Amino acid sequence: MNKTTCPLDCYDMCSVIYDDNKLHGDKVHPITKGFLCPNLNSYLGTPRIQKPRFKGKDISMSEALEILTKSLKESQNVLYFKGHGNFGKLQDAPMHFFRQMDATFTKGSLCDGAGESGVVAGRGESLSLPYEEIKKSRVVVIWGRNSSVTNAHFLEAIKDKILIVIDPVKTSIAKKADIHLQIKPREDFSLALLFARFVYIEQMEDYDFIDKFTNDFDYFVDFFRSFPVKTLVENSGLALEDVLTALMLMEKEKVSILVGVGVQKYAHGASVLRAIDSFAAMMGLFGKEGCGVSYLGNSMIGFNNIFPKGKKQVPISTVDFGQYDIAFIQGSNPANQMPNTKKVIDGLKETKLCVYFGLYENETSKLSDLVIPAKNFLEKEDIRFGYGSEYIGKMPELTQSDIGISEVELTNKLCKEFSFETLESEKEMISTIVGNNIYEEDGYLKNKVYQEIPYSDGFYTDDEKFQFMDEYDDELCEMDGYYLITSKYKYSLNSQFKRDKFIYLHPCCGFEEGDLVRASSPYGEAEFMVKLSDDLREDCVKIYSGTSGVNYLTPDESSLEGDSAIYQDTKIIVTKVV
Ligand SMILES: Nc1nc2c(c(=O)[nH]1)N[C@H]1C(S)=C(S)[C@@H](COP(=O)(O)OP(=O)(O)OC[C@H]3O[C@@H](n4cnc5c(=O)[nH]c(N)nc54)[C@H](O)[C@@H]3O)O[C@H]1N2
Ligand SMILES: Nc1nc2c(c(=O)[nH]1)N[C@H]1C(S)=C(S)[C@@H](COP(=O)(O)OP(=O)(O)OC[C@H]3O[C@@H](n4cnc5c(=O)[nH]c(N)nc54)[C@H](O)[C@@H]3O)O[C@H]1N2
Ligand code: SF4
Ligand SMILES: [Mo]
């Protein structure tokens, strides 16, 4: 039996059996429990790029590498741009080459970076909650995470809990919740401060915890008291009664708060996570059985990074491809997934050589001069770490194919051409990366950092204490139009697999199902077909990640902290196309 791990960018990190050319969910893995999601189920059936291509013409792999080498040798100005099409750690191998040739790297994130910097400011490091701890909670708060779509294997762990969902959309998990706070988008900061204010009024603080494990609580009290309750309630778009009901459900209980990326696709995303953490710290929810705040954890915690980036780095969400002679794009589809598609496409057209290194055809491969097919996760040796649990996943090479080249092989070929130091073998690199920081339990690997309940011995800050927030930065500019919700679609993994094509609006918005509409923002416009949904608030539109056109509408700006994309920090005007 061939066991491996799902390579896709996902909280669940499923354990996978590859048998008879098919992928199956591992029945004995405690989280996977025998089923895979529609995305991995589509993996083997999705047509791959078979052959390298240069300016539209099929070529051999050695010709492709020759063109790449020659162009790289002639250029001083190279961008290395990597996405997360495959979460394996050895996917970073090309950094080894591009660092030695002094290419420009990206910093920050298209994903979770704003929130992460808020978590790090308070806790020093972002650890997620072990699956087993979530199971021990009595109350689970799902805050800006669409667990039934993006985190489906965790539903089993939370099925008997008191469930609070905080989301502008009536998601299917929200419909099952004991209470759903259908918050106004962008206002989670206000809600976290409201919670904090009423914890204070009702004297629900955990004073022992605050004394022993935190700093600057008094400043935090002054900080949240500087916001009038009335303003916070109005901002949140919620009834105070519902906010208080949710808080009372948490009183004196073991509470896990599972936070997703939905709350932080904004300039002030770091402050949102810091405020949620500060509220949780006030309640003493860290370091105790069945308690904690789980955001997307740092998957590399405890491990050695053998692929450091080069010194030259630019924020990823504002990359201007046109400034580089060569853009080498790996495991990503920026022409669809990056904000401000018009600017991205103009830039990709301007580069002298745009190189796409991936598995599937997409908007970026079509715009690229040189297309290099990759090996898929079954055809190369790797290991992956998770951002949603304590598990580690082996990804052994299980099959071979004539198609594509692995990231490690490509790196070694380029290093040889440039007389740079080559890589060690895959097994040696994996062993250096993990060091002695893993252990085995019931046949599966886990990260030793999670052997103890996260933060039970203190935090990862200089004085090992949680740092409460006491200031706040935001760049809110008032605009007309609908809030944009752009979240994940069940049948696609960002732009991979089956994509959606609709804009979703509330039935009261005056459009009919099937209408063709033009959506516009200060960044651009695109046309979509309407679907009506009373799961939305009346002030929101929803367009899933991966939908063609959505990122024509999104801002190519970075969050105030964390150099992260801020997809939802704009408003959308919708007009009917006649
Ligand atoms: N099927 C599937 N699974 C995926 C992915 C995929 O594309 N498809 N992508 C993977 C990746 S890359 C990631 S990062 C994770 C992310 O997974 P999640 O963290 O679940 O992220 P999203 O789906 O973007 O958004 C989650 C929820 O946030 C809500 N939301 C939007 N704006 C706000 C707001 O202002 N406040 C609050 N409280 N909620 C808000 C949305 O309605 C949505 O229900 O999923 C991974 N898993
Ligand atoms: N509107 C909007 N935009 C978003 C988001 C959103 O919610 N809404 N979400 C953002 C988030 S959270 C993320 S993480 C980013 C994701 O953005 P990207 O990282 O660009 O993700 P994908 O679109 O999934 O593209 C992954 C590509 O990786 C390639 N690939 C797969 N496996 C391998 C491999 O083994 N080797 C190589 N070389 N290539 C491989 C595939 O061909 C695929 O085209 O998008 C962001 N963009
Ligand atoms: S749920 Fe996530 S980890 Fe599991 S198979 Fe699907 S994409 Fe992979
Ligand atoms: Mo992501």
Side-chain angles (χ1 to χ4, degrees):
M1 193 168 64
N2 290 319
K3 217 173 243 199
T4 181
T5 309
C6 175
L8 301 177
D9 184 344
C10 175
Y11 294 104
D12 294 8
M13 239 188 64
C14 288
S15 176
V16 177
I17 311 291
Y18 178 59
D19 190 20
D20 198 18
N21 282 326
K22 292 198 184 78
L23 301 172
H24 308 273
D26 179 352
K27 293 201 173 97
V28 292
H29 188 276
I31 302 182
T32 307
K33 293 204 165 75
F35 77 94
L36 302 174
C37 74
N39 288 305
L40 199 65
N41 282 332
S42 309
Y43 191 91
L44 292 178
T46 304
R48 284 168 76 175
I49 302 175
Q50 304 277 327
K51 284 209 155 75
R53 195 165 74 224
F54 184 58
K55 300 209 185 282
K57 201 170 144 258
D58 284 356
I59 54 174
S60 68
M61 187 60 81
S62 57
E63 285 168 325
L65 296 177
E66 222 171 273
I67 296 167
L68 180 60
T69 309
K70 186 163 175 286
S71 311
L72 287 167
K73 281 190 173 160
E74 285 166 3
S75 172
Q76 297 296 315
N77 194 9
V78 176
L79 174 73
Y80 173 73
F81 184 100
K82 180 180 171 288
H84 286 107
N86 175 336
F87 228 79
K89 193 57 206 161
L90 298 187
Q91 287 288 300
D92 286 348
M95 292 191 185
H96 179 78
F97 166 77
F98 285 101
R99 180 171 40 81
Q100 294 185 76
M101 77 155 298
D102 202 25
T104 301
F105 285 66
T106 63
K107 62 177 171 184
S109 151
L110 293 179
C111 175
D112 61 336
E116 171 163 311
S117 69
V119 171
V120 169
R123 306 188 219 160
E125 270 292 355
S126 176
L127 270 64
S128 48
L129 270 176
Y131 186 75
E132 293 306 320
E133 291 308 318
I134 298 172
K135 275 171 92 180
K136 291 178 199 151
S137 317
R138 169 104 174 97
V139 178
V140 172
V141 183
I142 299 189
W143 199 330
R145 190 187 287 198
N146 191 4
S147 291
S148 24
V149 169
T150 61
N151 191 202
H153 290 84
F154 279 52
L155 297 180
E156 172 75 18
I158 60 178
K159 67 175 191 296
D160 303 325
K161 315 292 178 198
I162 296 171
L163 189 60
I164 301 169
V165 171
I166 304 167
D167 200 303
V169 181
K170 271 182 224 142
T171 56
S172 47
I173 190 85
K175 289 175 190 165
K176 292 185 197 126
D178 293 275
I179 181 157
H180 172 208
L181 300 178
Q182 196 168 8
I183 191 169
K184 200 196 274 182
R186 212 186 186 281
E187 290 301 342
D188 302 274
F189 174 80
S190 300
L191 178 60
L193 291 202
L194 259 185
F195 278 150
R197 184 70 178 259
F198 280 93
V199 170
Y200 182 76
I201 293 170
E202 300 293 329
Q203 299 183 341
M204 285 162 63
E205 301 98 316
D206 183 336
Y207 291 110
D208 288 346
F209 179 86
I210 292 170
D211 270 357
K212 210 164 152 200
F213 289 110
T214 74
N215 256 335
D216 296 335
F217 179 59
D218 293 344
Y219 291 120
F220 180 53
V221 174
D222 291 344
F223 175 68
F224 64 68
R225 292 183 72 194
S226 69
F227 294 81
V229 168
K230 190 164 171 276
T231 313
L232 295 175
V233 174
E234 273 170 21
N235 288 352
S236 73
L238 298 168
L240 180 58
E241 205 185 310
D242 293 341
V243 174
L244 295 181
T245 306
L247 189 61
M248 292 312 144
L249 288 173
M250 294 184 235
E251 192 177 10
K252 298 202 179 94
E253 296 288 2
K254 289 182 182 169
V255 183
S256 287
I257 305 179
L258 310 183
V259 187
V261 295
V263 299
Q264 56 89 66
K265 298 180 186 186
Y266 306 105
H268 70 306
S271 298
V272 177
L273 261 297
R274 187 98 186 262
I276 293 172
D277 272 2
S278 293
F279 152 66
M282 189 181 182
M283 298 268 283
L285 292 181
F286 289 103
K288 296 179 188 157
E289 192 180 87
C291 295
V293 182
S294 199
Y295 182 55
L296 291 81
N298 171 3
S299 60
M300 275 302 281
I301 185 144
F303 300 116
N304 299 308
N305 182 10
I306 62 169
F307 302 121
K309 292 182 179 179
K311 286 202 190 76
K312 284 193 270 178
Q313 296 181 13
V314 291
I316 188 160
S317 45
T318 58
V319 165
D320 182 356
F321 290 95
Q323 288 191 0
Y324 301 91
D325 293 340
I326 301 184
F328 184 94
I329 297 164
Q330 176 198 329
S332 182
N333 181 13
N336 181 262
Q337 290 300 127
M338 261 182 79
N340 196 340
T341 304
K342 182 173 181 324
K343 179 182 147 191
V344 173
I345 290 182
D346 289 347
L348 291 174
K349 285 181 181 161
E350 246 173 77
T351 49
K352 288 194 195 123
L353 186 81
C354 178
V355 187
Y356 170 82
F357 180 30
L359 286 184
Y360 313 119
E361 299 290 1
N362 54 34
E363 290 86 342
T364 308
S365 72
K366 286 188 188 127
L367 283 168
S368 296
D369 306 291
L370 180 63
V371 174
I372 304 181
K375 296 249 174 254
N376 75 21
F377 79 110
L378 301 164
E379 301 159 355
K380 55 197 174 197
E381 185 85 20
D382 213 330
I383 187 159
R384 73 161 289 182
F385 310 127
Y387 54 76
S389 75
E390 69 277 34
Y391 284 86
I392 306 288
K394 288 186 192 165
M395 301 167 80
E397 181 180 337
L398 297 179
T399 183
Q400 289 182 343
S401 137
D402 295 335
I403 304 173
I405 184 166
S406 77
E407 289 66 24
V408 169
E409 197 185 343
L410 178 107
T411 306
N412 279 334
K413 292 222 150 121
L414 291 173
C415 283
K416 275 188 199 136
E417 293 288 350
F418 279 70
S419 306
F420 293 164
E421 179 194 307
T422 53
L423 297 165
E424 294 181 299
S425 72
E426 280 91 341
K427 288 207 162 53
E428 281 167 320
M429 287 190 282
I430 290 170
S431 143
T432 312
I433 293 167
V434 297
N436 61 3
N437 208 42
I438 50 176
Y439 68 104
E440 200 169 315
E441 202 174 271
D442 304 326
Y444 296 99
L445 297 179
K446 291 185 169 183
N447 185 336
K448 266 193 196 162
V449 169
Y450 290 100
Q451 253 172 332
E452 308 285 326
I453 295 172
Y455 312 107
S456 48
D457 293 332
F459 292 87
Y460 292 73
T461 49
D462 291 343
D463 59 4
E464 297 180 14
K465 293 188 170 181
F466 179 82
Q467 315 291 318
F468 278 104
M469 82 188 299
D470 57 9
E471 60 180 8
Y472 167 60
D473 255 348
D474 193 7
E475 274 179 354
L476 179 62
C477 66
E478 288 300 332
M479 290 167 76
D480 287 337
Y482 296 98
Y483 290 100
L484 172 65
I485 306 277
T486 174
S487 46
K488 312 300 183 187
Y489 183 52
K490 186 169 180 181
Y491 301 100
S492 73
L493 208 299
N494 295 309
S495 75
Q496 303 187 74
F497 315 117
K498 301 186 185 77
R499 306 210 211 153
D500 194 47
K501 55 182 181 198
F502 298 101
I503 186 170
Y504 296 79
L505 288 137
H506 191 274
C508 80
C509 293
F511 297 97
E512 307 259 333
E513 186 109 356
D515 278 354
L516 183 65
V517 294
R518 180 169 302 117
S520 60
S521 79
Y523 306 92
E525 56 178 43
E527 289 181 2
F528 304 89
M529 191 85 85
V530 169
K531 262 201 184 177
L532 298 176
S533 164
D534 49 19
D535 292 339
L536 295 178
R537 290 171 55 100
E538 294 174 16
D539 53 4
C540 298
V541 301
K542 180 176 73 178
I543 313 172
Y544 288 118
S545 177
T547 302
S548 176
V550 57
N551 281 323
Y552 277 93
L553 309 173
T554 52
D556 60 316
E557 282 157 37
S558 290
S559 53
L560 294 166
E561 287 156 74
D563 290 313
S564 206
I566 53 169
Y567 294 96
Q568 295 187 172
D569 230 334
T570 188
K571 282 199 172 172
I572 307 297
I573 306 285
V574 183
T575 48
K576 196 167 163 183
V577 178
V578 278

